Amino acid sequence: MKEMISLEEARELVLANVEPLPQETVPVLEAVGRVAAEDLRSDIDIAPFAHSAMDGFAVRAAELAAASAEAPVEMDVIAEVAAGDVYEGSIGEGQCVRIMTGAPVPDDADAVVKYEIVDVVTGDGKPGSRVAFTAPVKERNNVREAGEEAKAGEVVVEAGEVIGSAGVGFLAGCGVVEVPTHRRPRVAIISIGSELVDPTEVPTPGKIRNSNSYALAACAQAAGAAPTILPIVEDTLEALAAAVSAAACEYDFVVTSGGASNGDFDFIKPVVEELGELLMTTVNMRPGKAQTFGVVQGTPVFGLPGNPAAAYVGFEMIIRPALRKMQGYRHFTRPVVKAKLSRDVKKNDPRRIFLRSTLYKDDAGEYVVAPAKNQSSGLFGVIQRSNCMAIMSEGLESRTAGSLIDCMLLDVSEEVSL
């Protein structure tokens, strides 16, 4: 095992140790945002019949071939068909049928002329009236064909496809009311530290509130997982070993924060090594160099640093992709755009650095990125006010205002291609 590995190596290492979870079937409404585990097929043609795309008059297009404003073609309105109704009669020469949006187009008609461009000669435009057409119409104009979107038995959502809000409606129209999808990962969140107290408590001297558990649980939830915040674990090898061992038996993924470095009270590395297989200890990134990963009783266990920003960045870069893979997602990295730096940024650390930043457009419509002035790894508030992370590559090259830099978007899904 290398002492320090690149971010790409770390991500691939963790991804190689997780697989999509077993399938479960959920109601179609609960499938929004989730991944279809199997091909989904329509049970009927969509649409099931040719229908009108708007309110108007169903006609034979050939009869209006010579229609013009100077020589309008007049027709008798012989019937009216509303959505949900069917007109089964015939349409003779010089006749038309008033039709509403969504209504089946009569068999004898091959086009629909919208109501607004038809002149009423006598009556009110309803059956018994006479109307005039002042322009030709193409065959199948304003007609939505049977099977236009899908044929019966056709795959409408492929395995691996993320189901959106419109997809839920599409599937419902295809008769798919239950969706097979990969089970959401159950994630145990454990904060380590004798100095930690519950957020409901006012800290006494030497104590701080346990904010990491809530942030990491929120990160897991945002990734589609089902997090559980477990009790705070004190800084002892025995307490942490017991907590990790129990969590590995019950959950699909275990995330700890704190105790990931090499101090006298940092125990996550020896615990993972003692209970299972230790695969990673440090990653060439800042914040978040100390990243512990291994497998305990067949369950991935990831030890994040205790500093809030370091824990957040480690989760976003490495754990989130793994949780997505466990749910069947195919894309694991957030979109990246190039933007101009708003100010000079000095670099005195050779690691890859992720600057918590705000991306915006200037008056010329070009992307500009403003790194937060305070990049302390102990701050959550800076991340709350950021929408991206500006990435400074490995090495010691500083950057000047106006130079282009890669920015990873934090509020855009991995499926988006920019």
Side-chain angles (χ1 to χ4, degrees):
M1 182 179 65
K2 292 183 183 178
E3 183 174 343
M4 182 182 290
I5 62 177
S6 69
L7 174 58
E8 287 74 20
E9 289 174 309
R11 185 183 290 127
E12 289 305 315
L13 175 62
V14 178
L15 286 172
N17 280 276
V18 298
E19 294 295 337
L21 291 172
Q23 293 183 24
E24 64 178 2
T25 300
V26 301
V28 65
L29 187 57
E30 295 180 17
V32 64
R34 299 182 69 175
V35 179
E38 298 176 2
D39 289 345
L40 304 176
R41 301 175 183 273
S42 180
D43 63 348
I44 60 172
D45 288 350
I46 301 295
F49 50 82
H51 61 278
S52 178
M54 58 184 58
D55 294 348
F57 296 91
V59 299
R60 291 189 186 88
E63 290 192 56
L64 301 184
S68 66
E70 296 74 25
V73 174
E74 296 187 1
M75 289 188 175
D76 293 320
V77 182
I78 61 169
E80 182 176 40
V81 55
D85 292 338
V86 177
Y87 177 71
E88 297 179 335
S90 59
I91 301 175
E93 186 176 347
Q95 296 178 334
C96 64
V97 171
R98 183 181 172 93
I99 191 167
M100 302 296 111
T101 303
V105 176
D107 290 342
D108 290 343
D110 58 16
V112 173
V113 180
K114 65 180 180 179
Y115 183 82
E116 289 80 3
I117 63 172
V118 178
D119 297 327
V120 177
V121 179
T122 61
D124 55 6
K126 295 183 178 181
S129 302
R130 190 166 178 82
V131 295
F133 300 86
T134 57
V137 63
K138 294 181 179 179
E139 285 189 19
R140 314 314 294 176
N141 190 61
N142 295 323
V143 176
R144 293 178 179 151
E145 303 292 354
E148 183 176 78
E149 192 165 25
K151 300 290 187 181
E154 184 179 333
V155 173
V156 292
V157 170
E158 296 181 350
E161 190 172 339
V162 180
I163 299 169
S165 302
V168 168
F170 185 29
L171 289 172
C174 293
V176 179
V177 295
E178 291 186 325
V179 175
T181 184
H182 296 285
R183 180 170 59 76
R184 296 184 186 275
R186 300 184 303 265
V187 181
I189 308 292
I190 302 173
S191 278
I192 307 164
S194 299
E195 78 280 13
L196 299 175
V197 297
D198 191 82
T200 58
E201 298 182 35
V202 177
T204 56
K207 303 290 186 180
I208 59 172
R209 285 183 169 129
N210 174 24
S211 57
N212 274 8
S213 282
Y214 287 82
L216 297 176
C219 286
Q221 187 168 294
T228 299
I229 297 176
L230 298 182
I232 297 166
V233 176
E234 63 182 7
D235 286 314
T236 69
L237 182 69
E238 295 76 17
L240 183 56
V244 169
S245 180
C249 289
E250 186 176 349
Y251 294 89
D252 302 307
F253 204 107
V254 179
V255 179
T256 70
S257 66
S261 296
N262 297 309
D264 293 344
F265 297 97
D266 293 332
F267 296 119
I268 188 61
K269 284 187 282 190
V271 162
V272 172
E273 192 165 34
E274 176 186 317
L275 297 178
E277 184 182 9
L278 181 63
L279 299 172
M280 178 180 84
T281 58
T282 53
V283 180
N284 192 17
M285 60 187 286
R286 178 180 178 183
K289 173 183 174 181
Q291 309 266 358
T292 296
F293 176 69
V295 178
V296 174
Q297 299 169 39
T299 300
V301 176
F302 203 107
L304 291 165
N307 280 324
Y312 175 86
V313 173
F315 192 107
E316 177 72 28
M317 295 296 175
I318 306 174
I319 298 177
R320 179 181 168 92
L323 296 181
R324 285 176 60 83
K325 181 179 178 180
M326 295 170 81
Q327 297 168 81
Y329 291 97
R330 294 173 175 172
H331 300 92
F332 305 128
T333 56
R334 299 275 200 181
V336 172
V337 299
K338 289 190 179 295
K340 297 185 298 184
L341 274 170
S342 65
R343 60 177 175 85
D344 294 349
V345 179
K346 293 183 178 180
K347 195 169 190 288
N348 53 17
D349 187 321
R351 289 176 287 170
R352 188 181 310 180
I353 296 179
F354 294 91
L355 302 171
R356 280 72 75 200
S357 307
T358 301
L359 184 74
Y360 62 94
K361 282 189 175 181
D362 62 15
D363 293 339
E366 295 183 330
Y367 282 123
V368 178
V369 63
K373 291 183 179 179
N374 191 338
Q375 291 289 329
S376 168
S377 61
L379 305 178
F380 269 139
V382 171
I383 305 173
Q384 162 64 21
R385 292 183 288 274
S386 298
N387 60 11
C388 74
M389 285 190 281
I391 305 169
M392 299 193 76
S393 301
E394 291 84 349
L396 294 172
E397 181 185 358
S398 297
R399 307 297 295 273
T400 57
S403 61
L404 290 177
I405 190 170
D406 284 338
C407 300
M408 190 187 77
L409 307 182
L410 296 175
D411 54 0
V412 179
S413 169
E414 288 86 343
E415 278 72 37
V416 176
S417 178
L418 296 177

